[in-house]
């Protein structure tokens, strides 16, 4: 198995710790000490450097900032390396996490002295450390999280189910929107059909209003200007052209004897005749256009007024009537084709629902199989913890549909044969609950390689042979991974491979916490204290020696 090890933890100015440097080792590491000595502070500090959510204020009173550094051995192939690679880190020989909390609340995290976000730090920590403690118990005891725990144990891939749920939701939303749109359109169907018929009958064209208005104005002014234009035309045609042509004949006859002096005038007269012809044609064209039937003006005014009235009715510009009509036709088409469109959307939704049900059924099957494996694994774990008669059951039942399937999952226990099963926290006593949770934690993390396992007072509520059984299970687990245990049990402490005592001291009026590694003689004294209290008797020392073997 490829597993990392927490090599060291350096804490500076955190809560009641001024400076503390710990060197951890493989196997079972135990931390003991009186209540309130600061054992939980160590876990708070470790959680802080790993990016976990915890206490808001960690900086020791009077200090500018608190700082925690954790160093891990990271073997080749460990899952943390993939997280580091995804975050752009080179493949490291060592892993050093550092996090700083200033007195004003700002937090800064570093991996191998490169600044990183808390999100990357938490993602990395998931591959390094698994904590089981009093707060963690609430997670295991909350049925809302049991399905996620079972999924992690089963190793199921939720990607397909989530995609199918999104597709189903999208299809349902599209159908609802189309249905609502059709219902809204049907309310105004009569208006739409009447309006489109009216617009189709008139059929206004782009720019037609301006054209009609110009022609109308010209017709209205035609009577006044036509007489003047007619007189001008008569002047151009009756005498002007004949006089010019006559003059050109006389000049052409004399030009041979004028030594070229008449060439320019003749050319000018030629141009004048051409221009005169153009003028005659233009005036003639204008006169033709001014010739109209009065009924034509009436018809033109009627159409112009109809276009303007329709534009006012619909609140659009006259030139926009064509586009407005196209929009109405689209709405009518939506009504006419709405039933077919909705039928197609209903078919899409049905297909999406079938796809989701297939994925959900596959998840249910995987979860039920995993539940049986978990129940068997729990039975194997409970036996050495003096709970061989207890029955742990993972119930998989029908729940609310969602992106992760249709199953509801709950862990239940029956502490004695024939006794009714119930929720962990309602059926088990304090000592039984600790052992159930230890077994459950071991089962749920047993297939997760590379984790340092931390247990915070997992032995609370048990003593004697039961505490010894818990300790032996922890020691066995430590043969496969590094295990850190905060304990008040002398039986568990005696089985540790490495032992530290957490204690408080007062320095210059300040209460500080420190951690002391214990040698064999000191371990006897500490375990004796755990057995007998503040006054360690020789009998307690003998009992401690017996526990230590």
């Amino acid at each position: 198995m490829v597993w990392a090890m927490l090599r060291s933890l350096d804490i500076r100015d955190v809560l009641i710790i001024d400076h503390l440097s710990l060197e951890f080792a493989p196997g079972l590491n135990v931390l003991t000490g009186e209540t309130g000595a600061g054992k939980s502070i160590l876990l708070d500090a470790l959680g802080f450097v790993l990016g976990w959510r915890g206490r808001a204020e960690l900086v020791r009173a009077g200090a500018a900032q608190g700082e925690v550094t954790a160093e891990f051995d990271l073997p080749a192939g460990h899952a943390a390396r993939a997280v580091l690679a995804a975050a752009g880190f080179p493949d490291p020989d060592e892993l050093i996490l550092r996090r700083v909390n200033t007195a004003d609340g700002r937090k800064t995290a570093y991996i191998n002295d490169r600044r990183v976000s808390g999100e990357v730090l938490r993602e990395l920590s998931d591959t390094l450390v698994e904590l089981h403690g009093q707060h963690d118990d609430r997670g295991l005891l909350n049925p809302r999280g049991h399905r996620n725990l079972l999924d992690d144990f089963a190793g199921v891939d939720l990607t397909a189910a989530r995609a199918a749920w999104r597709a189903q939701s999208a299809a349902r939303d599209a159908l609802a929107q189309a249905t609502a749109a059709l219902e809204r359109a049907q309310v105004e169907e009569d208006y739409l059909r009447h309006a489109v018929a009216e617009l189709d009958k008139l059929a206004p064209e782009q720019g037609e209003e301006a054209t009609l208005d110009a022609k109308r104005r010209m017709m209205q002014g035609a009577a006044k200007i036509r007489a003047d234009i007619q007189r001008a035309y008569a002047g151009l045609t009756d005498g002007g052209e004949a006089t010019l042509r006559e003059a050109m004949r006389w000049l052409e006859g004399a030009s041979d004897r004028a030594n070229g002096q008449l060439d320019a005038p003749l050319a000018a007269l030629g141009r004048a005749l051409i221009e005169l012809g153009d003028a005659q044609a233009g005036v003639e064209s204008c006169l033709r256009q001014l010739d109209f039937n009065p009924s034509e003006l009436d018809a033109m005014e009627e159409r112009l007024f109809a276009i303007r009235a329709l534009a006012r009715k619909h609140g659009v510009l006259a030139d926009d009537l064509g586009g407005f009509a196209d929009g109405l036709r689209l709405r009518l088409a939506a009504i006419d084709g709405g039933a077919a469109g909705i039928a197609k959307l209903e078919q899409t939704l049905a297909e999406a629902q079938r796809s989701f049900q297939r994925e959900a059924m596959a998840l249910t099957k995987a979860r039920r199989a995993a539940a049986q494996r978990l129940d068997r694994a729990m039975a194997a774990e409970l036996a050495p913890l003096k709970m061989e008669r207890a029955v742990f059951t993972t119930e998989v039942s029908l729940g609310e549909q969602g992106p992760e399937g249709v199953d509801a999952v709950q862990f239940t226990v029956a502490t004695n044969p024939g006794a009714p099963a119930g929720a962990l926290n309602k059926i088990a006593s304090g000592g039984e609950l600790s052992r159930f949770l230890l077994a459950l934690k071991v089962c749920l993390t047993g297939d997760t390689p590379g984790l340092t396992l931390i247990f915070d007072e997992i032995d609370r509520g048990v003593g004697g042979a039961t505490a010894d059984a818990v300790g032996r299970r922890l020691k066995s687990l430590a043969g496969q991974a590094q295990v850190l245990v905060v304990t008040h049990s002398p039986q568990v402490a005696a089985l540790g491979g490495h032992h530290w005592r957490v204690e408080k001291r007062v320095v210059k009026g300040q209460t500080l916490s420190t951690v002391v590694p214990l040698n064999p003689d000191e371990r006897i004294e500490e375990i004796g204290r755990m057995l007998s209290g503040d006054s360690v008797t020789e009998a307690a020392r003998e009992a401690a020696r017996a526990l230590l073997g």
Side-chain angles (χ1 to χ4, degrees):
M1 177 181 290
V2 178
W3 50 277
M5 184 185 77
L6 176 61
R7 182 190 303 168
S8 66
L9 185 66
D10 188 88
I11 306 169
R12 295 176 184 269
D13 293 321
V14 170
L15 296 174
I16 60 171
I17 297 175
D18 56 350
H19 181 209
L20 184 62
S21 184
L22 297 175
E23 299 289 334
F24 292 102
L28 181 58
N29 299 260
V30 297
L31 292 93
T32 62
E34 296 180 357
T35 300
K39 298 184 294 300
S40 62
I41 295 176
L42 294 176
L43 299 185
D44 287 337
L46 180 59
F48 172 71
V49 77
L50 291 170
W52 298 346
R53 302 190 186 281
R55 299 190 189 187
E57 299 296 333
L58 288 172
V59 183
R60 187 171 64 88
Q65 65 179 36
E67 179 178 322
V68 182
T69 303
E71 185 176 359
F72 288 84
D73 281 332
L74 197 62
H78 191 274
R81 292 183 180 271
V83 177
L84 292 169
F89 283 85
D91 201 20
D93 294 326
E94 61 181 3
L95 179 62
I96 300 175
L97 310 182
R98 183 166 64 91
R99 200 172 185 210
V100 177
N101 191 170
T102 61
D104 60 6
R106 290 182 294 110
K107 297 177 176 62
T108 310
Y110 302 87
I111 296 177
N112 290 351
D113 279 334
R114 180 176 133 187
R115 187 168 177 172
V116 296
S117 67
E119 181 180 354
V120 172
L121 196 62
R122 284 187 291 274
E123 185 178 358
L124 182 65
S125 74
D126 288 342
T127 69
L128 297 170
V129 173
E130 180 76 19
L131 172 65
H132 175 81
Q134 297 179 30
H135 299 294
D136 181 60
D137 292 352
R138 288 199 290 271
L140 292 174
L141 296 176
N142 186 352
R144 292 184 178 181
H146 289 177
R147 187 175 68 187
N148 291 338
L149 293 171
L150 181 62
D151 286 349
D152 289 342
F153 176 78
V156 298
D157 186 353
L158 298 170
T159 304
R162 288 168 176 164
W165 175 261
R166 288 194 299 270
Q168 177 182 263
S169 299
R172 184 180 291 109
D173 290 344
L175 176 59
Q177 292 173 8
T179 301
L182 180 59
E183 290 174 350
R184 289 193 300 271
Q186 287 172 334
V187 170
E188 56 179 0
E189 182 176 3
D190 291 342
Y191 156 74
L192 290 173
R193 294 196 184 281
H194 173 76
V196 169
E198 190 176 36
L199 286 161
D200 286 346
K201 181 179 179 180
L202 187 62
E205 297 178 358
Q206 180 77 21
E208 184 180 5
E209 188 235 7
T211 301
L212 289 174
D213 185 61
K215 287 182 178 181
R216 172 174 169 263
R217 292 178 185 277
M218 185 182 70
M219 286 181 178
Q220 288 174 334
K224 179 179 180 180
I225 66 173
R226 194 176 194 286
D228 294 340
I229 297 173
Q230 183 68 49
R231 283 193 291 270
Y233 183 70
L236 289 172
T237 56
D238 290 347
E241 182 179 0
T243 301
L244 288 175
R245 290 190 182 279
E246 182 69 18
M248 283 190 71
R249 282 195 301 272
W250 284 105
L251 291 173
E252 285 172 349
S255 64
D256 291 340
R257 297 186 299 275
N259 296 322
Q261 293 184 28
L262 295 176
D263 292 346
L266 284 169
L269 286 172
R271 292 193 299 274
L273 284 170
I274 293 173
E275 292 294 334
L276 179 61
D278 291 342
Q280 289 172 341
V283 172
E284 185 178 4
S285 174
C286 181
L287 286 172
R288 284 197 301 270
Q289 292 183 33
L290 293 174
D291 286 333
F292 64 89
N293 191 319
S295 63
E296 182 182 350
L297 175 59
D298 293 340
M300 185 179 298
E301 287 184 331
E302 182 180 354
R303 180 167 179 81
L304 176 62
F305 296 156
I307 290 174
R308 288 176 173 174
L310 202 56
R312 287 194 300 272
K313 177 180 178 179
H314 294 295
V316 298
L317 297 175
D319 281 349
D320 293 338
L321 282 172
F324 177 73
D326 291 340
L328 297 184
R329 291 188 193 96
L330 286 175
R331 288 156 69 179
L332 271 178
I335 295 174
D336 296 336
I342 286 177
K344 186 175 181 180
L345 289 172
E346 288 174 340
Q347 181 180 358
T348 300
L349 175 58
E351 291 174 354
Q353 288 173 329
R354 287 192 292 270
S355 176
F356 173 72
Q357 288 298 325
R358 285 194 300 271
E359 297 299 334
M361 289 175 62
L363 283 177
T364 299
K365 182 178 179 181
R367 285 167 177 153
R368 291 188 183 280
Q372 293 178 359
R373 294 197 305 274
L374 179 58
D375 293 348
R376 291 194 296 268
M378 281 293 291
E381 284 294 330
L382 290 172
L385 295 176
K386 307 293 184 182
M387 296 190 70
E388 59 276 356
R389 301 177 67 187
V391 178
F392 175 92
T393 304
T394 306
E395 295 182 353
V396 181
S397 59
L398 183 63
E400 293 184 4
Q401 289 192 8
E404 297 177 359
V406 299
D407 304 313
V409 176
Q410 184 175 10
F411 300 145
T412 64
V413 298
T415 55
N416 293 294
L424 277 172
N425 58 337
K426 294 182 179 179
I427 297 298
S429 65
E432 291 170 334
L433 182 59
S434 294
R435 285 175 284 166
F436 271 119
L437 294 175
L438 171 59
L440 185 57
K441 197 70 172 184
V442 169
C443 291
L444 292 175
T445 59
D447 293 332
T448 305
L451 293 174
T452 291
L453 302 177
I454 301 176
F455 294 93
D456 183 14
E457 299 186 16
I458 186 63
D459 50 6
R460 64 187 180 279
V462 299
T466 301
D468 182 69
V470 170
R472 293 189 183 282
R473 184 61 189 95
L474 291 171
K475 183 176 181 179
S476 174
L477 189 61
Q480 306 170 18
Q482 184 186 40
V483 177
L484 274 63
V485 179
V486 175
T487 181
H488 285 290
S489 168
Q491 290 87 352
V492 173
L495 291 168
H498 316 278
H499 192 163
W500 288 264
R501 182 176 65 244
V502 184
E503 56 189 35
K504 285 196 296 188
R505 53 190 172 87
V506 178
V507 179
K508 296 181 180 179
Q510 281 192 322
T511 300
L512 300 176
S513 180
T514 188
V515 179
V516 180
L518 302 182
N519 61 34
D521 291 337
E522 290 169 333
R523 289 192 72 190
I524 293 173
E525 287 297 312
E526 174 64 8
I527 293 174
R529 180 197 63 79
M530 297 171 72
L531 287 166
S532 64
D534 291 338
S535 179
V536 182
T537 65
E538 189 57 37
R541 293 188 182 92
E542 286 300 320
R545 292 187 184 95
L547 286 176
L548 289 167

